[in-house]
């Protein structure tokens, strides 16, 4: 069947996240002790990695107490006017570790004497060399053009950093139970994804929506669906969506709502009712009643299970369209170097 | 002609920005002296105001030396786990000043003893009352559902704050010359916008792209086009676009490229060539050769002229479709209160 490479990488994620956590838990705990005096985190990333940075906004804020500033890399590379980095923890996230703009932000942090952390899948990359503390993501290279396992291990890295900044044993315990919940999600969701994917085979537009910590999932799944299905798909915060973009919803438009149990659930339910009144067709990722049910995990870790359901949906929907998920049309290069 | 209210507000922007700058220049200069010790800015905003926050990332960074962290309001309102605000300058941006989530971030900053600044069009609003320093945006209410003059005065407020943090006379002088360049842009661009707007009358999807400081323009114009035309339109950073989403480009897809002269221009030209090879149909906002030419201003202020061309394009394109820009389908409320 087409998409065998992508499917294998999707299925490998519980094991990859478990390996990541096992390898890096102790070093991250040790590192975090020296980071607690930082006032905020400055995070440089592009593409899928930028969605991991969105996740950081929530969990570094909620657990670590750190507001997150996404770096504007062009201030370093184009404008030559990098902002000061006083009090910053500087984080670079890049699968390849090659993107010069992400590297330049971490280099500037290093020069400024700030603590620098990198998450990358290549410890020999310029990003890994630039950072004082580099964490490798996976046990092997990612072969698919569409990032999956490097995205979830980036999330695991951010989650681990947040837990280590907080320093409470309960969070580490929740992390330890995560890979099993990821495996349970994948084994349960495949058939649902096949059925739901087939219903999207003729759609050319789609929106993804989430609230709070799962905003990263809405953004990441929108990118996966754009890459693999070539559909127009934008991810929205449910709160921002009400400020204008809800005008887009018309009869029959498919909306993918990421709404696991948690404090954002009631707000997503209210949104689901509002868009149903406008005639939207809903697909949901969430609890046992959802179109794509996922295992229940603590809310701060839910993006690591919700994204699995959506990856599987994108894979199956590409297959239903007769597209090869291992050869996305219009995407040749795995490594994109932007300055 | 339909859209008379929106058109009048679009045309009022040079005068509104001039009035804003005249009213607030001296108070902002005085205020900024006390803000230079902040390590970063934490900015809370939704909808169009969130695009003003994107502008802040570039100009507060480049001129003021401050990295910008967008607040995650749900950490305050949903999760009850607000991050600490040590060393932060806290900024709230909201046309109505009513959105509880934006207000809650500014209130938390005030409680933490941090300097708090608000930009709002209602000095009696909860946001204005929450902030230590509130700046009103326009000389009168905004009647259109689609925000225009409150967006450009928000940009003017951010630009003024950045210039005041920097404290160089040259930037104030550039600001003083801005309203005339905005007026020149509007008077020159109307006929071009009519012609270009007509060519979009049958399109259902569209992408907007920019690099660097004009990323806010790509985001804001995408929202205007969604609201007024009900087209699927997503704004992208040209750098991020290459990391996957470029797969969307196929023959005949219209792309709106925001590319005034400046350091981002060469990169946008390279992107224009790449997407032309894929058969995209380009519309450009930029110098005298562009589809929609704008007056030349210093690059840091260019979002205040480029957006005018796009607002006018959205207005004229809605008219060409037979839509009423003063009554966007599916949008009833001017004030949206999200928590």
């Amino acid at each position: 069947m087409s998409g065998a490479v992508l499917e294998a990488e999707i299925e490998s994620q519980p094991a990859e996240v478990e390996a990541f956590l096992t390898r890096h838990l102790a070093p991250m705990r040790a590192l975090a002790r020296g980071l607690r005096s930082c006032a905020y985190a400055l995070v440089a990333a592009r593409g899928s990695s930028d969605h991991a940075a969105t996740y950081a906004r929530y969990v570094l804020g909620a657990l670590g107490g750190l507001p997150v500033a996404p770096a504007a890399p062009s201030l370093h590379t184009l404008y030559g006017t990098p902002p000061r980095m006083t009090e910053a923890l500087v984080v670079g996230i890049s699968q390849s570790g090659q993107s010069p703009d992400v590297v330049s932000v971490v280099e500037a942090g290093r020069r400024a004497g700030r603590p620098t952390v990198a998450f990358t899948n290549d410890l020999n990359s310029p990003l890994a060399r630039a950072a004082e503390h580099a964490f490798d993501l996976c046990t092997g290279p990612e072969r698919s053009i569409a990032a999956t396992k490097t995205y979830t291990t980036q999330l695991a890295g951010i989650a681990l950093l947040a837990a280590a900044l907080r320093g409470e044993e309960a969070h580490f315990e929740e992390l330890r139970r995560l890979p099993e919940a990821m495996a349970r999600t994948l084994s349960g969701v495949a058939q649902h994804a096949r059925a739901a994917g087939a219903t999207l085979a003729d759609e050319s537009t789609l929106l993804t929506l989430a609230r709070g910590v799962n905003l990263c999932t809405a953004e990441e799944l929108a990118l996966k669906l754009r890459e693999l299905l070539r559909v127009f798909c934008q991810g929205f915060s449910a709160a921002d969506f009400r400020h204008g973009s809800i005008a887009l919803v018309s009869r029959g438009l498919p909306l993918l709502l990421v709404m696991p149990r948690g404090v954002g659930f009631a707000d997503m339910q209210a949104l689901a009712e509002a868009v149903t009144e406008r005639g939207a067709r809903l697909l949901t990722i969430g609890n046992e009643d959802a179109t794509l049910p996922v295992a229940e995990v603590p809310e701060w870790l839910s993006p690591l299970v919700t994204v699995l359901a959506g990856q599987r949906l994108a894979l199956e929907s590409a297959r239903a369209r007769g597209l090869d998920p291992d050869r996305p049309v219009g995407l040749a290069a795995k490594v994109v170097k932007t300055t």
Side-chain angles (χ1 to χ4, degrees), chain A residues 9 95-96 142-148 150 332-336:
Chain A
E9 290 186 341
Q95 180 274 131
S96 69
E142 187 170 57
R143 289 164 58 209
S144 289
I145 288 189
T148 55
T150 55
K334 173 82 182 156
V335 178
V336 183

Side-chain angles (χ1 to χ4, degrees), chain A residues 234-257:
Chain A
Q234 183 168 3
F236 287 95
S237 142
D240 264 326
F241 191 62
R242 293 186 174 96
H243 289 260
S245 302
I246 196 169
L248 285 182
V249 179
S250 60
R251 191 149 302 281
L253 178 72
L255 302 186
L256 177 61
L257 272 56

Side-chain angles (χ1 to χ4, degrees), chain A residues 76 137 270-271:
Chain A
H76 298 256
L137 295 168
L271 182 70

